[in-house]
Amino acid sequence: MATKKTKVIGDSDKQKKTKTTTKEEQLKATIEADKNLIFQAKKLVSAAFAARRRYDWEWLVRNLYLRGYHFARYNRASSTFVLGTKTKVRIPINLMWAQARSIRNQITSFRPKWEVLPSAPTESKMENAKYSGKLLDYLYEKLHLKRKLKETIYHGLYTSIGIWQFDWNPMADGKEGQVEINVVDPFDWGIDPNATSLDDAQFVFKAVRKPLKEIRSDSRYQNTDLLKPDSRLASSEYKSFLLQAVKNIGEAEITLNDENEYTIIYEMQKKEYGEDGRPKIRILTFTNDSELPLRNELTNKDTFSARNERIETER
């Protein structure tokens, strides 16, 4: 007599379920990864500024002396500088600025000349070297390198370092593109506090104050809708105090337009290592209140160049 039995499904008969991710899940994962990148980048910025705080104090004191505030004193009660005195009339003789200006003018008194040598003794190579030299002479005038050299020497005299940023601007010269060289204020620049040189640094960044309209109109930036204005004049506490003090006594080089909204934008270049061990540079751009990066790009080249300008004197 036949009996009815239930069918037993073995493991071999079961269909394997493949886990599929939807576009929404992929987008959510990307957003979470970007948020984590910005969170880690902000921690690196805080660590770099905390490690450099002592040097910022020295730079502030030297800058005040170069400006002629030799009688400035620090008020511990209010944690501010008192730039002058109301009880006595004192006229300082600013020898420091005179010496710094003479050193700067002496170093930049000549017009540098590039000598481009041909890579081979052929007519085409020699002709190419000739026009390459003319191109470099043109860029020297076009990019105002003499003025930028003076700025770098000035920074080196009171901070011991000078920083340039080299980049390519695709929108320059009618969107034909042009090399771009900018001087970076040492107050606005940060580096890995554990690094012994620029090549050894795992990250560097600069923090500059820009109008919100300029940031939102830049095609390189995304996620600009939620940006908020920042009332600070600089990312560095001591530079912010210096700018505020100079602004109040009528010596500001730049008049701040109250109608425009500004914020401090950070541009970080961070090393990331692949499976082959070779480093790549991730460019992250963000602000203090942004959770998502304005720019997130992976490249093979960095754009900063720093030089120690410490001057040793003979005794």
Side-chain angles (χ1 to χ4, degrees), residues 163-167 180-182 184 206 267 269 303-304:
I163 305 158
W164 279 19
Q165 184 178 14
F166 301 85
D167 205 350
E180 195 174 54
I181 301 176
N182 296 316
V184 181
K206 72 171 183 178
E267 180 184 311
Q269 297 183 10
T303 61
F304 286 104

Side-chain angles (χ1 to χ4, degrees), residues 58-71 92-104 154 157-159:
E58 294 179 0
W59 297 350
L60 172 63
V61 174
R62 295 172 189 171
N63 196 296
L64 288 175
Y65 264 74
L66 281 173
R67 291 177 180 269
Y69 302 110
H70 299 165
F71 304 111
I93 300 175
N94 196 350
L95 296 179
M96 292 188 63
W97 171 245
Q99 293 176 0
R101 185 175 59 182
S102 64
I103 294 172
R104 185 187 65 180
Y154 176 73
L157 287 172
Y158 77 90
T159 67

Side-chain angles (χ1 to χ4, degrees), residues 35-309:
K35 286 184 178 181
N36 185 56
L37 279 175
I38 297 303
F39 177 75
Q40 296 297 331
K42 289 181 179 180
K43 289 177 62 177
L44 295 177
V45 169
S46 299
F49 276 139
R52 208 194 62 192
R53 182 180 175 84
R54 178 173 65 89
Y55 297 101
D56 282 10
W57 170 264
E58 294 179 0
W59 297 350
L60 172 63
V61 174
R62 295 172 189 171
N63 196 296
L64 288 175
Y65 264 74
L66 281 173
R67 291 177 180 269
Y69 302 110
H70 299 165
F71 304 111
R73 64 183 187 278
Y74 182 71
N75 188 342
R76 295 184 180 274
S78 59
S79 300
T80 58
F81 270 98
V82 180
L83 300 182
T85 177
K86 297 181 180 179
T87 58
K88 297 180 182 180
V89 177
R90 296 179 178 180
I91 302 176
I93 300 175
N94 196 350
L95 296 179
M96 292 188 63
W97 171 245
Q99 293 176 0
R101 185 175 59 182
S102 64
I103 294 172
R104 185 187 65 180
N105 292 341
Q106 182 180 5
I107 294 175
T108 59
S109 60
F110 66 95
R111 182 172 182 262
K113 177 69 176 177
W114 284 282
E115 293 293 340
V116 182
L117 301 178
S119 58
T122 61
E123 184 177 355
S124 61
K125 297 292 184 180
M126 296 177 66
E127 191 75 12
N128 187 28
K130 175 183 176 181
Y131 286 106
S132 297
K134 292 182 178 295
L135 175 62
L136 291 175
D137 291 339
Y138 165 76
L139 290 177
Y140 180 83
E141 300 292 341
K142 173 77 173 180
L143 302 178
H144 308 287
L145 292 187
K146 185 172 184 178
R147 176 179 58 81
K148 293 178 180 180
L149 284 170
K150 286 188 175 184
E151 293 180 14
T152 305
I153 297 300
Y154 176 73
H155 290 158
L157 287 172
Y158 77 90
T159 67
S160 300
I161 59 173
I163 305 158
W164 279 19
Q165 184 178 14
F166 301 85
D167 205 350
W168 177 262
N169 186 2
M171 304 302 293
D173 288 347
K175 297 185 179 181
E176 292 184 1
Q178 182 62 270
V179 64
E180 195 174 54
I181 301 176
N182 296 316
V183 180
V184 181
D185 190 338
F187 276 110
D188 298 332
W189 189 69
I191 190 172
D192 180 6
N194 298 319
T196 57
S197 64
L198 184 61
D199 295 333
D200 188 38
Q202 297 301 307
F203 70 91
V204 293
F205 66 90
K206 72 171 183 178
V208 294
R209 192 169 182 264
K210 288 186 177 182
L212 284 176
K213 293 181 180 178
E214 179 182 346
I215 298 174
R216 288 168 178 162
S217 62
D218 196 325
S219 59
R220 297 175 300 174
Y221 299 147
Q222 300 176 352
N223 306 316
T224 59
D225 298 335
L226 300 179
L227 291 181
K228 299 178 181 178
D230 194 338
S231 59
R232 296 181 302 163
L233 296 179
S235 58
S236 171
E237 174 188 355
Y238 293 120
K239 182 181 178 180
S240 181
F241 162 76
L242 180 64
L243 291 176
Q244 186 65 38
V246 169
K247 176 174 178 287
N248 288 339
I249 59 179
E251 293 187 3
E253 298 177 356
I254 299 176
T255 302
L256 300 180
N257 190 352
D258 297 333
E259 296 179 357
N260 293 329
E261 294 180 334
Y262 288 81
T263 190
I264 296 176
I265 186 170
Y266 297 85
E267 180 184 311
M268 174 177 286
Q269 297 183 10
K270 179 184 175 186
K271 288 183 180 178
E272 292 187 0
Y273 295 89
E275 296 180 356
D276 56 355
R278 296 181 179 180
K280 290 188 176 181
I281 305 298
R282 181 172 295 278
I283 300 177
L284 287 174
T285 306
F286 56 94
T287 62
N288 280 327
D289 59 340
S290 60
E291 295 183 354
L292 296 174
L294 305 180
R295 182 185 178 191
N296 185 4
E297 181 181 345
L298 196 63
T299 182
N300 294 322
K301 296 182 180 180
D302 56 356
T303 61
F304 286 104
S305 176
R307 180 175 178 82
N308 192 331
E309 300 291 347

Side-chain angles (χ1 to χ4, degrees), residues 9-19:
I9 301 177
D11 293 339
S12 59
D13 298 331
K14 294 181 179 179
Q15 295 182 355
K16 295 183 179 180
K17 296 182 179 180
T18 58
K19 186 177 180 180

